[in-house]
Amino acid sequence: MDRYERILSLHRTLKHARYPVTVARLQDELGCSRATVYRDLAFLRDALMAPIVGDGEAGFRYDAEEGNRFELPGLWLNSDELHALLAAQQLLSRSGGGVLSAALAPLQQRIEKLLEEHSAGKAWPVERVRVIPHRSRRMDEQAFRFVCSAVLERRQLNFEYRARSTDERTRRTVSPQRVTHYRGNWYLDAWDHDRDGLRSFSVDRIAGARVLDGAARDIDESELDRHLAGSYGIFSGEPKGWATIRFNARAARWVADEHWHSQQQGRHLPDGGYELKLPYSSPRELLMDVLHYGADATIVEPASLREQARSLLALALSNYER
């Protein structure tokens, strides 16, 4: 542990200590000599103005009143935290069609500088953090910026929206609530003033966005979750029923470890299979995901959803009989 990390570790130990910490314990935690502990304590107290109280006999801690308010000046992270931050930065910059790359470039430069200070000039192989986008869609970077600005500044947003299901173009004025990254793509959850209700918009279908002067209407988080996260999928709505799906033993090895929905219920079956139950509203996305497993998955109930799956499979089969 170098001095930078020792100071950071010493600060965190003293800040969270309810009782004085002995020098022997500090030696053990910092992995250094008694003399080094005293030098680091002196530096923390005299150079960084930390509110250290105590002595070598009883131990040291931060002053009860000042300790909660004191923080180290600047940005202090240990090597593990810097590596995690760099990995997260790479994940964000390489996902979503690269729309965050330019915005995150200054952060990457700052992280790389901090890592260089830790490593005495050694180059860190950031190319070993690999992110492979899957079925992500092209997106207008300017539209994405306007959407995020409206969400964070709590202002209304006006844009042209081209619905993928109908290809219809409409002009919308909304109160943005939050942006959601789902399956490699970005969505805007918003209150639609023209339709007087909550809607989710795929950001890659937004064009001609303008941030308006009007303040956005705030919707309670619980109402957002009830309407937009209560059922399966991104365009969920409030649940209309529960689906029961059974997977055979081969698929169960994957499905049993997967998160499909926050309210899902699952159980292992005697034959090695797996039964999954979850709420749904619109069946479209759920059917796509179940059919992705082919013969390894069977919809048990409700009967209407089972019939829809059977019809889709029959239609797909007919394409190969021509």
Side-chain angles (χ1 to χ4, degrees):
M1 189 182 296
D2 61 22
R3 192 186 189 197
Y4 181 99
E5 292 194 75
R6 286 201 317 272
I7 295 297
L8 177 58
S9 180
L10 179 60
H11 161 70
R12 291 177 175 176
T13 297
L14 297 179
K15 186 175 181 66
H16 294 100
R18 298 180 60 185
Y19 304 100
V21 184
T22 65
V23 174
R25 177 185 161 189
L26 292 175
Q27 283 182 254
D28 183 60
E29 292 190 2
L30 302 178
C32 62
S33 67
R34 183 181 182 88
T36 299
V37 169
Y38 277 107
R39 282 196 298 270
D40 288 345
L41 284 168
F43 177 80
L44 189 59
R45 180 191 61 222
D46 301 334
L48 301 180
M49 307 301 292
I52 297 175
V53 295
D55 54 53
E57 298 297 328
F60 297 90
R61 65 186 300 271
Y62 279 172
D63 178 80
E65 295 183 2
E66 297 293 329
N68 289 333
R69 295 193 294 267
F70 175 75
E71 291 294 345
L72 293 176
L75 179 63
W76 288 68
L77 299 171
N78 62 33
S79 296
D80 289 341
E81 292 166 337
L82 283 170
H83 295 159
L85 184 58
L86 181 60
Q89 187 274 336
Q90 291 292 308
L91 175 62
L92 287 171
S93 66
R94 298 183 190 184
S95 63
V99 294
L100 296 177
S101 299
L104 291 173
L107 174 61
Q108 179 173 355
Q109 294 170 4
R110 175 61 174 152
I111 296 172
E112 290 174 349
K113 184 178 179 181
L114 288 170
L115 283 171
E116 185 178 356
E117 293 172 357
H118 272 264
S119 60
K122 176 184 175 182
W124 294 97
V126 295
E127 68 279 358
R128 293 187 179 275
V129 179
R130 192 174 182 219
V131 180
I132 304 175
H134 177 62
R135 300 174 66 182
S136 57
R137 299 188 286 265
R138 291 188 300 273
M139 185 167 52
D140 183 346
E141 182 173 348
Q142 185 178 38
F144 180 75
R145 289 177 181 273
F146 280 139
V147 167
C148 291
S149 294
V151 170
L152 297 176
E153 295 174 10
R154 310 305 307 127
R155 292 163 62 186
Q156 293 182 23
L157 184 71
N158 180 267
F159 55 84
E160 180 184 84
Y161 191 70
R162 185 178 178 184
R164 184 167 274 107
S165 57
T166 63
D167 208 34
E168 179 186 7
R169 296 176 185 266
T170 56
R171 198 79 198 176
R172 305 292 186 96
T173 298
V174 304
S175 285
Q177 302 300 314
R178 59 192 181 189
V179 286
T180 300
H181 190 252
Y182 179 74
R183 295 190 173 189
N185 297 289
W186 290 95
Y187 297 86
L188 168 66
D189 297 335
W191 178 268
D192 190 322
H193 291 277
D194 298 322
R195 288 155 179 76
D196 198 32
L198 287 168
R199 298 289 188 274
S200 287
F201 301 93
S202 183
V203 177
D204 65 287
R205 306 297 283 183
I206 290 176
R210 293 185 297 114
V211 180
L212 307 179
D213 292 332
R217 172 180 176 178
D218 287 328
I219 306 298
D220 187 80
E221 192 76 16
S222 60
E223 184 176 349
L224 290 175
D225 288 338
R226 184 173 62 254
H227 185 83
L228 299 172
S231 300
Y232 185 79
I234 187 65
F235 302 107
S236 58
E238 296 189 22
K240 296 178 181 177
W242 282 72
T244 301
I245 308 138
R246 285 182 183 163
F247 299 87
N248 63 21
R250 178 170 54 187
R253 293 193 291 270
W254 279 268
V255 178
D257 294 327
E258 291 177 352
H259 176 82
W260 287 51
H261 190 269
S262 60
Q263 298 178 40
Q264 71 183 45
Q265 301 170 11
R267 68 185 182 97
H268 291 277
L269 302 175
D271 62 357
Y274 189 77
E275 183 181 86
L276 178 67
K277 294 184 178 182
L278 45 82
Y280 77 100
S281 177
S282 172
R284 181 177 57 183
E285 189 174 350
L286 178 58
L287 285 169
M288 285 194 305
D289 287 340
V290 173
L291 294 179
H292 163 77
Y293 281 92
D296 294 333
T298 304
I299 295 176
V300 179
E301 56 183 8
S304 58
L305 188 65
R306 181 182 174 92
E307 179 59 26
Q308 283 181 280
R310 192 198 66 78
S311 299
L312 288 173
L313 288 169
L315 184 60
L317 182 61
S318 69
N319 291 333
Y320 293 91
E321 294 175 343
R322 296 173 184 173

